[in-house]
Amino acid sequence: MRVGIVGLPQCGKTAVFNALTGAHGDMGVYHAAERLSLGVVSVPDDRLDALAQMLSPKETVAATIEFEDIGGVFSHLAGGERSGQAVAALRDCDAMAMVVRCFEAPSVFEILGEVDPLREYNALNQELLLADLEVIEKRLDAIERDVRKPVPERDALKQEQVVLEQCRLAVEQEEGLRAVQMTGPEQKMLRSYAFLTLKPRLCILNVGEGQVASPPVPDEFKGLDPPPVPMCAKLEMELMDLEEEDRAAFLADGGLMEMASGKVIRASYDVLGLRSFFTHVSDKLRAWTIQGGTDAKGAAGKIHTDMEKGFIRAEVVGFADLAEAGSIKEARARGKVRMEGKDYEVRDGDVITFHFSR
Ligand SMILES: Nc1nc2c(ncn2[C@@H]2O[C@H](COP(=O)(O)OP(=O)(O)O)[C@@H](O)[C@H]2O)c(=O)[nH]1
Ligand SMILES: [Mg+2]
C-alpha cells in the first residue's frame, strides 16, 4: 500500500518524506519536479510493543507502509502546470497525504505569494479536480464517437457515459468524485481511471518550528475527516538524524510526547482501511497487514500461499484479552483463546496461530 505525498511546490513535501522515512532527499530545489522517491516505513503500534514486552521474542517485525514523494503538482493559479508524470505517479498510489504550508520563512519562496493554508489547500484540490476532469472529458469524447457506431459494447458504453457525466458535473461543481453516488459495478467500471479525487486522503499541516508546542489549526481544517495532522517537517526531519535517546530527550524538553510522523503513518494506515494481526512463530513476533473484512484463510495467505491452501484452523486471541491475561497460558486458562474456521473475519489486533497441512 502506497501513500503519495502531494502539495504545491515548497510546501515541504520532501521534508515530510524525509521526516517519515529518515531519507535525505534534496530539498528546496524549485522545479526539481520529476525526482520521485519511495520509502518504506514501519507502522508504530503500541500493541506490538506490548506484545514484545510480554513475549520477549528474538525479533519483532512491524507492519509497513510505503510513501512516495511526488513533486510536480503546480498550481495553475500561480502560473504553473501539473506534470503528467506526477499525476501518473499519484494515480498509482492507494491514498494521498496532502501537505499544506503553514510555516513562515522569508527565505522560502511562497508559490501563491503569501502563506495562506486554506488558499493553498483549495488550489491543490483544484489541481486534483482538473486532473480528473481531463480524464473524464477525454473518455466522454471517445464514448460519444463510439456509441454512434454499431459496436457490440454499446450498452456498456452508454452506461459508462451516464456515470461519467455525473462525475463531470461533480467536478464542475468543485466536488470530488466521492460526492457521486455509485453502485458497486459502477465503481468497478471506473476503477481503471484511478481518479485522484476518489482516493482516501489525509491532510498534513506543515507548521513552523515555533508552533510545534501548540500548532494552530485553521478553523476550515477542523472539520476534515480524518483530522489534519500538524507537523513541523523540517524539525522532525532533523530529529531523524539523532540517536533515539537524544530524540526522546529533545521531545521531552519541548514538552512533546511524540513526533507527528508517527501520527501521520498511523493515520495513513487507518485511512486506507488497513488492519493488523499478529503472529508469534519461531521466536519472531510479527505484525501483518490486511484489509478490513479479510477472513482467516485470506489472512493466512498474507503469510504464505501454502498456509492459505492447507488452512485447517486459526487459534485466535484478541490483543485486549491477551494483555489482560498477561500470558498466552493464562489467556487459554480463561478460555480466551478460540478456535476459528476459514470464514472467521479477522479483527484488528488479533493474535493468531495458524494450523495448516503442508
Ligand atoms: N522554516 C521551515 N522551513 C521548512 C519547513 N518545512 C520545509 N521547509 C523549507 O522549505 C523549503 C521547501 O521544502 P521542501 O521539502 O523542499 O518542499 P517541496 O518542494 O514541497 O518538496 C526547504 O528549504 C525546507 O527547508 C518547516 O517546517 N519550517
Ligand atoms: Mg521536493
Side-chain angles (χ1 to χ4, degrees):
M1 284 284 169
R2 190 187 304 161
V3 181
I5 301 172
V6 277
L8 298 187
Q10 304 292 87
C11 67
K13 295 178 294 296
T14 304
V16 166
F17 177 79
N18 291 349
L20 295 176
T21 62
H24 295 90
D26 291 341
M27 282 199 311
V29 192
Y30 189 54
H31 276 238
E34 318 296 0
R35 216 195 58 93
L36 308 177
S37 341
L38 277 178
V40 176
V41 306
S42 295
V43 180
D45 191 333
D46 294 341
R47 299 166 305 183
L48 188 67
D49 298 341
L51 288 173
Q53 280 272 327
M54 179 192 297
L55 304 166
S56 322
K58 264 218 184 79
E59 199 188 342
T60 301
V61 181
T64 59
I65 190 168
E66 206 174 7
F67 284 91
E68 180 166 357
D69 179 4
I70 296 177
V73 178
F74 291 89
S75 171
H76 69 287
L77 297 177
E81 260 180 63
R82 256 170 293 126
S83 101
Q85 199 181 343
V87 171
L90 201 49
R91 291 207 194 286
D92 279 344
C93 291
D94 303 288
M96 60 178 113
M98 301 168 74
V99 182
V100 176
R101 174 172 172 176
C102 301
F103 66 90
E104 297 274 359
S107 61
V108 180
F109 178 79
E110 175 48 53
I111 182 95
L112 296 177
E114 61 183 330
V115 177
D116 184 340
L118 186 62
R119 233 182 104 220
E120 182 166 317
Y121 181 71
N122 289 340
L124 178 58
N125 270 310
Q126 267 207 8
E127 292 308 313
L128 302 175
L129 287 166
L130 288 172
D132 281 353
L133 186 61
E134 273 173 24
V135 175
I136 292 168
E137 292 195 322
K138 217 165 125 197
R139 180 64 189 147
L140 277 173
D141 285 349
I143 292 178
E144 267 154 38
R145 271 198 314 274
D146 287 350
V147 282
R148 290 199 218 108
K149 300 176 200 157
V151 287
E153 63 276 13
R154 235 177 126 211
D155 286 347
L157 283 175
K158 278 189 176 162
Q159 268 183 328
E160 193 183 334
Q161 192 176 31
V162 172
V163 184
L164 283 174
E165 270 162 3
Q166 286 171 348
C167 291
R168 177 164 63 188
L169 195 67
V171 171
E172 282 168 356
Q173 291 170 346
E174 305 209 344
E175 283 184 279
L177 297 188
R178 279 186 299 181
V180 181
Q181 296 277 340
M182 280 187 250
T183 63
E186 286 169 346
Q187 285 171 12
K188 215 168 148 196
M189 197 152 65
L190 301 188
R191 194 159 296 156
S192 65
Y193 302 122
F195 286 121
L196 303 182
T197 60
L198 274 181
K199 294 193 189 287
R201 51 171 70 183
L202 168 73
C203 179
I204 298 172
L205 300 173
N206 189 12
V207 302
E209 289 82 335
Q211 302 174 307
V212 275
S214 54
V217 176
D219 282 343
E220 295 84 354
F221 287 84
K222 286 185 179 145
L224 290 183
D225 179 29
V229 182
M231 170 179 196
C232 179
K234 188 160 175 265
L235 180 69
E236 296 215 1
M237 182 187 96
E238 287 158 6
L239 287 179
M240 287 302 277
D241 287 338
L242 299 181
E243 295 295 327
E244 193 147 349
E245 265 173 49
D246 298 336
R247 201 184 301 156
F250 183 96
L251 289 173
D253 273 355
L256 302 173
M257 292 302 288
E258 56 170 340
M259 304 222 294
S261 55
K263 283 188 209 158
V264 168
I265 297 167
R266 196 68 237 169
S268 302
Y269 202 72
D270 294 341
V271 89
L272 281 162
L274 301 177
R275 310 272 184 273
S276 301
F277 69 90
F278 308 102
T279 57
H280 181 219
V281 182
S282 321
D283 227 4
K284 186 166 171 179
L285 171 66
R286 187 157 177 179
W288 302 88
T289 300
I290 47 171
Q291 284 285 350
T294 303
D295 61 21
K297 198 166 173 230
K302 286 280 162 194
I303 303 172
H304 203 290
T305 42
D306 288 352
M307 288 175 75
E308 183 169 4
K309 278 191 211 130
F311 181 93
I312 299 170
R313 60 178 181 271
E315 235 179 304
V316 183
V317 54
F319 169 78
D321 287 338
L322 180 54
E324 205 182 307
S327 72
I328 292 271
K329 199 169 156 223
E330 179 58 25
R332 200 167 266 132
R334 294 182 185 183
K336 297 292 186 188
V337 181
R338 314 172 320 260
M339 288 299 176
E340 300 284 2
K342 63 179 171 45
D343 297 328
Y344 168 71
E345 187 177 317
V346 174
R347 295 185 205 146
D348 192 36
D350 278 350
V351 180
I352 307 182
T353 308
F354 290 103
H355 297 267
F356 60 104
S357 59
R358 286 160 210 268

